[in-house]
Amino acid sequence: MNLNINKVKFVVFTSVLFMLPFGVLSYHFMNVSKSIARGNQSEKVALRVKTVSKLSADFLFSRYKFIEKVKSGGFKRWKIGKQKKYLEEEIRRNNRDYKGFAVFNGRKKVFDVENLNVEKSILDKVLRSSLSMGSVEFSQEEPPALIIAEPLFSGKSTKKIILCAKIDLSPLADLVRNYNMGGRGEIGIIDAGGQIIADSVGRSIMKPGVKVSAQIISNIEKAVNKGKSFSYSYLRLKEHKDNLIVIANIPGSQWWVYEISNFTGYDYYSKWAKKVVWKGIILIFVFGFISLKFAEFWVSGKVGPSA
């Protein structure tokens, strides 16, 4: 095969000339594609986290309705027998929601339903502040539960009646699992102390009371200091290119919803952009060869009629 080295040089040189502006444009094109991919992923994850946050708030509010009803009614003026019967009936009606009740006069237990025990520290906080307090109870035997201590007294009352309720939080685990179906990351709900109440990968089941990663706690602290209820950031790890971390506060509480999502799984636009760039490079070499043919036809005089 007789290969003309000058023709090869012409094709290569012409292709390189084409590639110089193409390279600059491709660089910007790739960056824009990556930004679009990041933006799309961020919007999807943010929508999911905000939705879980809102549904979690609705869940807590619906469970608090009964306690609010008791507080605003004449419960504290009833006799003990009537109070206990009323709470027992509520357990029978909504045994999936409430796992126990207890009534205290100060730090002394008056009676309980379903053997509910409450930490003295929670009662002390209620007695000092006259405000509702809550604490998440973790156990190896059953799902997490929220212990609410609601004061049924005002600051000047002589009788310090406190109603305590144990609310089952297992529906929150179903919620996060349903919203992470087909997801590539981890979504979860944590309490004010950073302990995982429910998560999509089962860490809260395997080790009840386990704390979320330090990075998420740090992001929450930054958001709280800035007065924000929503935040997201990118975290670079060795095993992955980038991880997207999104957090959102559950309205009316100090709980947060978080999601850690692997960015590499959503890199569709970047992959598509790389294919476009490689096709462009191939076309440039094709155009270089076509330029050679036109040069032979119009310039060299070897092709076509002589002058």
Side-chain angles (χ1 to χ4, degrees):
M1 181 178 178
N2 187 17
L3 184 64
N4 191 325
I5 191 65
N6 288 328
K7 291 182 179 181
V8 174
K9 288 179 179 179
F10 181 87
V11 172
V12 172
F13 182 75
T14 307
S15 300
V16 169
L17 288 180
F18 285 143
M19 282 187 189
L20 289 176
F22 180 76
V24 175
L25 293 174
S26 296
Y27 175 77
H28 291 289
F29 177 65
M30 294 289 290
N31 284 339
V32 170
S33 298
K34 189 174 182 179
S35 297
I36 292 173
R38 282 175 177 255
N40 282 354
Q41 182 199 3
S42 300
E43 289 177 4
K44 289 178 182 178
V45 175
L47 177 61
R48 183 160 56 240
V49 169
K50 287 180 178 179
T51 301
V52 173
S53 171
K54 182 181 182 303
L55 292 176
S56 299
D58 292 343
F59 167 83
L60 294 174
F61 178 73
S62 67
R63 301 309 187 270
Y64 186 72
K65 273 185 177 180
F66 173 74
I67 299 172
E68 196 174 45
K69 178 183 175 182
V70 171
K71 184 176 182 178
S72 60
F75 180 86
K76 62 183 177 181
R77 293 187 295 271
W78 295 350
K79 292 183 178 180
I80 293 175
K82 185 178 180 180
Q83 290 177 339
K84 188 172 184 179
K85 184 179 179 181
Y86 182 70
L87 296 178
E88 286 173 342
E89 288 176 355
E90 182 64 22
I91 288 283
R92 283 194 292 270
R93 283 196 303 266
N94 297 302
N95 60 351
R96 292 186 178 181
D97 298 339
Y98 302 103
K99 296 302 180 182
F101 290 103
V103 172
F104 289 82
N105 185 3
R107 299 174 84 245
K108 182 182 178 181
K109 182 186 288 186
V110 179
F111 69 86
D112 63 19
V113 180
E114 299 295 331
N115 297 318
L116 176 58
N117 294 312
V118 181
E119 292 182 6
K120 298 299 181 183
S121 59
I122 298 177
L123 298 174
D124 289 339
K125 289 179 182 178
V126 175
L127 292 171
R128 285 196 302 268
S129 65
S130 299
L131 297 174
S132 175
M133 295 290 169
S135 175
V136 180
E137 181 182 87
F138 297 94
S139 170
Q140 293 284 357
E141 290 75 27
E142 57 184 19
L146 173 62
I147 307 297
I148 291 182
E150 184 72 28
L152 305 184
F153 61 89
S154 60
K156 297 179 181 179
S157 301
T158 54
K159 291 184 70 174
K160 306 291 185 179
I161 303 300
I162 301 173
L163 171 65
C164 296
K166 183 177 181 179
I167 299 173
D168 181 21
L169 297 179
S170 59
L172 294 180
D174 297 331
L175 175 65
V176 296
R177 280 196 296 269
N178 290 337
Y179 269 85
N180 195 55
M181 290 180 66
R184 298 176 183 271
E186 173 190 345
I187 184 169
I189 299 172
I190 61 174
D191 65 7
Q195 293 174 294
I196 301 177
I197 298 170
D199 66 301
S200 59
V201 296
R203 285 200 292 156
S204 58
I205 298 174
M206 299 298 294
K207 191 177 180 181
V210 64
K211 284 201 171 187
V212 77
S213 69
Q215 182 63 43
I216 294 176
I217 292 177
S218 175
N219 286 11
I220 291 174
E221 289 175 350
K222 290 177 182 177
V224 171
N225 292 336
K226 293 179 181 179
K228 294 182 178 180
S229 61
F230 170 80
S231 175
Y232 72 90
S233 63
Y234 287 93
L235 175 65
R236 183 167 290 274
L237 301 174
K238 292 180 181 180
E239 60 269 25
H240 302 298
K241 289 184 179 179
D242 280 315
N243 269 14
L244 172 64
I245 299 177
V246 179
I247 55 172
N249 177 247
I250 297 177
S253 75
Q254 292 181 311
W255 295 5
W256 290 76
V257 179
Y258 71 90
E259 179 165 348
I260 306 173
S261 182
N262 184 2
F263 179 69
T264 56
Y266 296 86
D267 208 7
Y268 169 78
Y269 285 100
S270 295
K271 291 178 181 177
W272 169 77
K274 289 177 183 177
K275 290 180 181 179
V276 172
V277 171
W278 278 111
K279 288 177 182 178
I281 292 173
I282 293 172
L283 285 174
I284 284 175
F285 279 102
V286 172
F287 291 154
F289 179 77
I290 294 174
S291 298
L292 172 65
K293 292 303 179 182
F294 277 116
E296 288 178 342
F297 185 78
W298 285 328
V299 178
S300 67
K302 295 180 181 180
V303 181
S306 57

